[in-house]
Amino acid sequence: RRGMPFDPFEINEINYGDLVDSTLPTFNRLVVRTRNAILRSGLENEDGSSAATTRTAFNWDDAGKELTPEEWDADLRESRSGVLLDCRNSYESDVGTFAGADPLDTDVFSESWDILKAKTKDLDKREPVRIFCTGGIRCVKVGAYLKQELGFDDVRRLEHGIIGYERWAAEEK
């Protein structure tokens, strides 16, 4: 608890039951580190400038149109053009994906950029590019990259990713 700006157990003591002696510390030392980013993409340097591109920085607000799960579902069912990219890691895509989705097959997110260039090099920049990930964070970065670095006009991303879609689908049953 030393060094933290608050006491995380101030309101409620942790109930360990009969598993451990609650008077003993759980860890020898608790280390909490802050990071500048939730997800390391390899696009940004520590100062926020771009590392993997010629851009000075990406505008994360310009990452394509975010579709609700309901809009996404209708869009996939109605549309016959464009491409559908699964921006998750290989082990996530292997568990399951949307029919017709093209997985990036990465082990770590920072591998995405060269793969995106290769997978999209022959695509019409005006055709829709639909992207999805697990929770939505990767799609913001991929969407910004597709629009701002690769020049795609119509990028559509799934709000809250697969997790949001599964929640919506369960409610629809």
Side-chain angles (χ1 to χ4, degrees):
R1 294 182 197 180
R2 238 178 322 144
M4 295 181 73
F6 60 92
D7 182 356
F9 308 112
E10 181 177 23
I11 297 171
N12 298 313
E13 287 292 320
I14 294 178
N15 180 359
Y16 294 104
D18 295 330
L19 298 176
V20 297
D21 181 354
S22 64
T23 62
L24 299 175
T26 306
F27 302 101
N28 292 335
R29 188 174 125 207
L30 176 64
V31 178
V32 178
R33 293 187 177 103
T34 60
R35 299 284 186 227
N36 293 335
I38 295 172
L39 177 66
R40 295 274 182 207
S41 62
L43 289 177
E44 311 90 4
N45 292 316
E46 288 296 320
D47 64 0
S49 63
S50 178
T53 69
T54 57
R55 304 187 64 77
T56 54
F58 283 92
N59 176 0
W60 305 123
D61 293 326
D62 184 22
K65 182 178 180 183
E66 188 172 62
L67 302 177
T68 67
E70 185 174 10
E71 293 169 330
W72 176 266
D73 188 75
D75 190 48
L76 289 181
R77 292 177 190 281
E78 295 168 5
S79 184
R80 301 289 177 246
S81 64
V83 65
L84 176 60
L85 298 175
D86 184 343
C87 301
R88 299 173 300 155
N89 296 329
S90 297
Y91 64 90
E92 294 171 303
S93 298
D94 290 345
V95 172
T97 191
F98 288 102
D102 187 4
L104 297 186
D105 288 325
T106 60
D107 290 322
V108 293
F109 186 55
S110 58
E111 296 172 350
S112 299
W113 318 118
D114 290 337
I115 293 170
L116 279 168
K117 283 181 192 174
K119 285 188 180 277
T120 61
K121 70 178 180 187
D122 296 326
L123 297 178
D124 183 343
K125 304 281 189 202
R126 297 166 296 185
E127 288 291 319
V129 178
R130 293 171 189 85
I131 56 177
F132 66 95
C133 59
T134 303
I137 295 171
R138 281 178 273 196
C139 285
V140 171
K141 293 189 176 208
V142 168
Y145 185 81
L146 286 167
K147 285 194 76 179
Q148 299 167 43
E149 183 71 15
L150 300 182
F152 284 91
D153 297 327
D154 187 1
V155 176
R156 304 171 192 182
R157 54 192 170 89
L158 175 57
E159 178 185 50
H160 304 300
I162 287 283
I163 293 171
Y165 186 83
E166 287 177 341
R167 286 180 185 152
W168 171 80
E171 290 173 4
E172 289 296 301
K173 287 184 178 180

